[in-house]
């Protein structure tokens, strides 16, 4: 079956943050001693992009970019002038579609206030605030450096600067949290009128401080009750769920994350960044990731040492990789997309599909891959059914 190239996005990893949170398993590094070499890092990002475009050839060069996402760490530690210089560099190397979504993650600590108009002028048209909770006690237990009042002030400051597309990250099932507390967080988020809310459960990830010293968390039944109640409240406020942990106002779904979930392509640049490209010439899906530590990444700008790994996805692994993303979408995806984005025939997943439908996990539709409400609750089991 022919492999058809999907839309292309660009992910940019900014690895530094003010303080590492105890639940965080991302490639982030707290500030210590001298300030990080922010300007040199932007130079290294552009050198990394140049090298990837050269290495990937026609699989990447000249393809229009639909979205750019600055993740971290805390990307807003980088001054607007540096973000502007980087985006100018991207535009000189790759075409951007008209109105391309450009997202910058930011934390509401006071250290970053007063920059939002500069980011907007640079071309960043969407902000994502890592708020997590509006309860000061819960923020303290999560290791956050901001207060609830500072979070509200930061969001309002961005809106005053002209931002009309804002996401708020919220967590639920926090240490010793009750249902009322989870709903109170949603109420305060809705009052700020963001266009998008990411609402996800706190989990204990390996190699984190919380995993080594677990806090008292609500059990699964209480966590599920929080999810259902908060989902209902968000719906009442005009935020439709379109992915397991994503809720948006009309026409404000995150373009960048939708491309991930639809098994789209993305270049990943920066320390620890991951990328995925479809090579239609060879019929393969290829993943590349960069070395994680900022010092090692900076030591070889654009050089082969920046690459932490690079390999095609084995055909036997493609069904699982595809379902790991696509089945998170509440509305599902067309069945035809599986063949177009993996190059595999439908027959490769026929047995797993039949079993999942028999269990009531997937909708009975020959043209659509979509989980049922039962399948959404047991999503990990549904996805595991597609392991070879």
């Amino acid at each position: 079956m022919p492999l058809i190239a999907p839309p292309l996005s660009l992910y940019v990893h900014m690895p530094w943050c003010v303080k590492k949170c105890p639940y965080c398993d991302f490639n982030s590094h707290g500030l210590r001693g001298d300030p990080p070499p922010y300007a040199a890092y932007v130079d290294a990002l552009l050198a990394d992009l140049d090298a990837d475009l050269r290495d990937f050839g026609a699989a990447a060069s000249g393809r229009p970019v639909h979205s750019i996402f600055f993740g971290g760490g805390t990307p807003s530690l980088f001054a607007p002038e540096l973000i502007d210089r980087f985006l100018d560099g991207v535009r000189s190397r790759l075409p951007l579609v008209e109105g391309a979504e450009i997202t910058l993650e930011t934390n509401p600590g006071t250290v970053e206030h007063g920059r939002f108009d500069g980011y907007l002028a640079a071309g960043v048209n969407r902000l994502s605030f890592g708020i997590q909770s509006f309860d000061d006690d819960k923020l303290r237990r999560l290791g956050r450096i901001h207060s609830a009042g500072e979070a509200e002030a930061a969001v309002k400051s961005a809106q005053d600067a002209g931002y009309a597309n804002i996401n708020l990250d919220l967590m639920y099932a926090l240490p010793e949290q009750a249902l009322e507390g989870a709903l109170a967080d949603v109420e305060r988020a809705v009052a700020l009128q963001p266009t998008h809310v990411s609402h996800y459960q706190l989990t204990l990830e390996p190699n984190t401080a919380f995993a080594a010293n677990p806090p008292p968390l609500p059990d699964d039944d209480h966590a599920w009750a929080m999810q259902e109640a908060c989902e209902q409240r968000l719906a009442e406020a005009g935020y439709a769920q379109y992915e397991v942990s994503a809720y948006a106002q009309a026409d404000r779904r995150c373009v960048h994350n939708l491309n991930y979930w639809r098994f789209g392509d993305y270049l990943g640049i920066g320390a620890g960044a991951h990328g995925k490209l479809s090579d239609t010439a060879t019929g393969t899906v290829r993943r590349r990731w960069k070395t994680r530590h900022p010092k090692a990444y900076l030591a070889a700008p654009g050089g082969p040492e920046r690459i932490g790994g690079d390999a095609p996805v084995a055909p036997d692994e493609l069904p699982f990789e595809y379902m790991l993303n696509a089945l998170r979408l509440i509305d599902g995806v067309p069945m035809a997309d599986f063949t177009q984005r993996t190059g595999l025939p439908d027959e490769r997943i026929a047995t797993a599909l039949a079993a999942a439908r028999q269990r009531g996990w997937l909708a009975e539709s020959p043209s659509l891959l979509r989980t049922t409400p039962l399948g959404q609750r047991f999503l990990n089991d549904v996805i595991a059914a597609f392991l070879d």
Side-chain angles (χ1 to χ4, degrees):
M1 297 289 176
L3 185 68
I4 298 176
L8 178 68
S9 294
L10 174 63
Y11 174 73
V12 188
H13 193 74
M14 316 298 238
W16 293 288
C17 56
V18 174
K19 178 187 174 185
K20 181 84 169 181
C21 296
Y23 59 84
C24 178
D25 68 338
F26 296 150
N27 184 34
S28 58
H29 303 261
L31 298 181
R32 296 177 182 175
D34 295 333
Y38 296 121
Y41 191 78
V42 169
D43 292 337
L45 288 174
L46 291 172
D48 189 1
L49 179 57
D50 283 334
D52 272 3
L53 292 176
R54 181 182 64 247
D55 292 348
F56 292 134
S61 295
R63 291 177 60 183
V65 173
H66 291 251
S67 65
I68 300 174
F69 195 101
F70 293 94
T74 305
S76 56
L77 290 175
F78 285 71
E81 296 77 17
L82 292 176
I83 300 298
D84 184 46
R85 178 154 67 86
F86 174 78
L87 289 174
D88 279 346
V90 172
R91 295 184 190 99
S92 70
R93 291 163 171 81
L94 286 167
L96 267 62
V97 301
E98 185 177 356
E101 178 189 271
I102 302 177
T103 303
L104 183 94
E105 287 186 333
T106 180
N107 284 335
T110 56
V111 67
E112 296 146 20
H113 285 188
R115 297 183 170 194
F116 299 124
D117 54 349
Y119 293 127
L120 191 63
V124 175
N125 52 30
R126 184 175 184 269
L127 292 177
S128 180
F129 282 93
I131 289 177
Q132 316 313 357
S133 177
F134 288 98
D135 182 313
D136 284 337
D137 176 66
K138 295 295 185 282
L139 289 170
R140 178 185 58 80
R141 300 186 72 168
L142 290 173
R144 305 299 286 171
I145 65 170
H146 66 270
S147 68
E150 288 170 340
E152 290 177 334
V155 174
K156 291 175 181 176
S157 177
Q159 291 168 333
D160 290 343
Y163 273 97
N165 198 4
I166 292 176
N167 169 66
L168 304 186
D169 278 351
L170 289 181
M171 287 182 173
Y172 67 94
L174 304 179
E176 297 183 305
Q177 187 178 46
L179 173 61
E180 293 76 14
L183 280 170
D185 279 344
V186 170
E187 289 292 348
R188 291 184 72 171
V190 166
L192 291 170
Q193 298 184 315
T195 50
H196 191 284
V197 176
S198 297
H199 186 254
Y200 51 97
Q201 183 178 348
L202 172 63
T203 55
L204 302 183
E205 300 295 341
N207 303 315
T208 63
F210 270 4
N213 186 22
L217 301 180
D219 61 29
D220 289 344
D221 287 340
H222 284 90
W224 181 251
M226 291 179 193
Q227 179 179 332
E228 287 192 311
C230 292
E231 178 182 322
Q232 180 179 344
R233 179 65 192 100
L234 285 165
E236 292 169 352
Y239 297 87
Q241 184 182 23
Y242 67 97
E243 188 265 346
V244 170
S245 58
Y247 304 77
Q249 294 178 344
D251 300 321
R252 290 299 194 178
R253 297 180 176 188
C254 179
V255 172
H256 189 86
N257 285 343
L258 276 173
N259 196 38
Y260 286 154
W261 297 321
R262 290 170 177 162
F263 213 52
D265 282 354
Y266 50 97
L267 291 165
I269 62 172
H274 284 241
K276 172 236 170 203
L277 280 177
S278 303
D279 190 334
T280 57
T282 62
T284 58
V285 175
R286 180 178 177 183
R287 291 199 180 276
R288 169 177 283 187
W289 56 98
K290 306 299 169 57
T291 187
R292 288 175 57 85
H293 202 281
K295 286 186 178 179
Y297 179 82
L298 283 163
E305 298 85 357
R306 80 192 192 285
I307 299 175
D310 188 346
V313 181
D316 289 346
E317 297 173 0
L318 277 171
F320 174 76
E321 291 237 1
Y322 180 85
M323 298 299 175
L324 184 65
N325 293 280
L327 292 184
R328 294 180 64 89
L329 291 170
I330 303 302
D331 294 338
V333 294
M335 187 68 200
D337 282 8
F338 172 78
T339 296
Q340 293 176 358
R341 300 200 175 182
T342 65
L344 301 175
D346 295 349
E347 289 76 16
R348 289 294 293 268
I349 56 172
T351 301
L353 280 176
R357 286 170 177 152
Q358 186 176 25
R359 291 186 176 99
W361 289 346
L362 293 180
E364 293 283 351
S365 172
S367 61
L368 184 69
L369 278 170
R370 180 174 61 81
T371 51
T372 62
L374 179 65
Q376 291 167 25
R377 183 164 188 181
F378 297 100
L379 186 59
N380 289 339
D381 296 313
V382 183
I383 294 168
F386 293 90
L387 283 167
D388 184 63

